[in-house]
Amino acid sequence: MTDTEPVLHQVSFERAEPEVASDTDLLEHILGTQDRMPGVRRIRDWARAELSIRPGQTVVDVGCGLGTELLELADLVGAHGMAYGIEPHPGLRGHALRRAAGREQVRIIDGDAGALPLAAGSVDAVTCERVFQHLHDPQAAADEFARILTPGGRVVLIDTDWETFVVSVGRPGVVARAIAAFRRRLPNPRAGRLLRCQLARAGLLVDPDVVGTLIVWSDEALRAMELLRVQLEMAIADGTLTRDEADDFESELIRAVDAGEAFCSVTMYGVLARKPG
Ligand SMILES: C[S@@+](CC[C@H](N)C(=O)[O-])C[C@H]1O[C@@H](n2cnc3c(N)ncnc32)[C@H](O)[C@@H]1O
């Protein structure tokens, strides 16, 4: 590490975390599947290009998950730069740490988007994908990103708006109830449409050219159904759906996938902003 290390206090990076979270395997599988989705890859390519990252710079991926994008950013900053991943989930952090082993310019840190362990004005670029939908106070996170950026530094926020979810099968009333219950379980289900406003309120100069991409579930992802099955079980548990309704929906979806007729998508938005100066 150099004297310019912007981490303010020593936290849990560089140590392998035990696999404490029982949901880690499921999350790894879901995030790994999403990493391969063309829409996700497209918007990440856009984000990297807009962040204009140069060798030697310091970048942060907030809520880095498996670390897939973080490692791409590390390649861009090179051996003389620094790529920080902030990840509060111990199992995901452990996964990212293992993938980053031996990469000197990568640090993976336990932390919260609303209280980052990084000094003010110390970071050239911030990226944060599909994290704001999980935040109770997304404005605090946007304010933090503005705080840590250098003057002229850039941030890209990418997030889903779950009002845009569509699926081609299922009785409309059942699907509407299930997706409404799913949205109620998220702290910020309309995250995508709010990003621009939150970045502007943080004092950043927001690019008016908002980018959108569809996450389209592949047949492979639909057939595996991990996320869906968890959601259906929760919907049964809280009385949103009967078991029969959930089972009917699941079998109808599997039939449609087998027939090559299933379609399921949600829109993700990407917003770029710059710190004045
Ligand atoms: C849908 S995953 C996205 C992971 C990764 N950004 C990607 O695109 O694959 C949401 C991520 O946000 C992280 N997260 C949730 N709450 C957070 C918080 N308060 N601060 C930072 N990250 C958070 C989760 O642990 C998880 O890694």
Side-chain angles (χ1 to χ4, degrees):
M1 292 303 309
T2 67
D3 292 335
T4 54
E5 166 69 86
V7 174
L8 291 180
H9 49 265
Q10 291 300 313
V11 279
S12 60
F13 56 84
E14 281 188 332
R15 62 185 164 84
E17 295 282 349
E19 291 289 311
V20 292
S22 60
D23 60 347
T24 297
D25 287 348
L26 178 65
L27 282 172
E28 283 178 359
H29 182 82
I30 292 169
L31 293 180
T33 304
Q34 292 169 345
D35 278 345
R36 293 190 292 278
M37 289 178 172
V40 171
R41 296 163 71 112
R42 234 181 351 257
I43 204 161
R44 287 180 182 171
D45 288 347
W46 165 83
R48 247 175 273 126
E50 294 294 340
L51 287 171
S52 301
I53 295 162
R54 293 191 303 279
Q57 288 191 323
T58 297
V59 301
V60 183
D61 183 358
V62 181
C64 68
L66 302 177
T68 308
E69 186 57 17
L70 178 65
L71 295 179
E72 296 277 352
L73 299 175
D75 286 343
L76 294 176
V77 298
H80 301 295
M82 189 56 71
Y84 289 97
I86 307 292
E87 178 47 59
H89 187 287
L92 294 178
R93 196 166 62 248
H95 183 109
L97 278 163
R98 285 191 293 279
R99 290 178 78 188
R103 305 281 293 268
E104 287 295 317
Q105 78 273 42
V106 180
R107 293 285 180 276
I108 298 168
I109 306 172
D110 184 10
D112 186 296
L116 294 170
L118 296 163
S122 64
V123 168
D124 299 294
V126 176
T127 185
C128 183
E129 177 186 330
R130 286 177 296 150
V131 174
F132 271 39
Q133 61 189 283
H134 299 288
L135 301 182
H136 290 277
D137 188 356
Q139 187 60 53
D143 292 346
E144 268 299 82
F145 299 174
R147 181 186 69 80
I148 64 170
L149 279 175
T150 56
R154 295 175 178 213
V155 53
V156 163
L157 299 186
I158 296 172
D159 231 295
T160 314
D161 194 313
W162 285 100
E163 295 278 0
T164 65
F165 177 85
V166 297
V167 60
S168 63
V169 301
R171 285 175 27 220
V174 171
V175 172
R177 258 186 286 139
I179 185 70
F182 171 72
R183 284 198 298 262
R184 280 195 297 276
R185 283 192 283 276
L186 280 176
N188 184 20
R190 300 181 180 88
R193 76 185 65 176
L194 303 173
L195 300 175
R196 206 160 71 164
C197 166
Q198 286 154 353
L199 288 170
R201 283 188 181 154
L204 298 171
L205 303 170
V206 183
D207 192 315
D209 186 20
V210 173
V211 164
T213 190
L214 284 182
I215 294 190
V216 178
W217 275 261
S218 62
D219 283 353
E220 171 213 351
L222 286 173
R223 193 171 279 113
M225 298 243 302
E226 285 89 354
L227 180 57
L228 183 65
R229 203 162 280 127
V230 171
Q231 294 302 326
L232 289 177
E233 286 303 326
M234 285 198 257
I236 294 166
D238 70 12
T240 301
L241 298 182
T242 66
R243 174 139 323 260
D244 283 351
E245 285 174 327
D247 288 350
D248 285 351
F249 177 74
E250 191 171 335
S251 357
E252 208 185 316
L253 183 60
I254 290 168
R255 256 197 316 276
V257 172
D258 288 344
E261 292 170 353
F263 182 83
C264 180
S265 80
V266 70
T267 303
M268 271 206 312
Y269 297 95
V271 181
L272 169 72
R274 196 167 48 79
K275 185 158 172 174

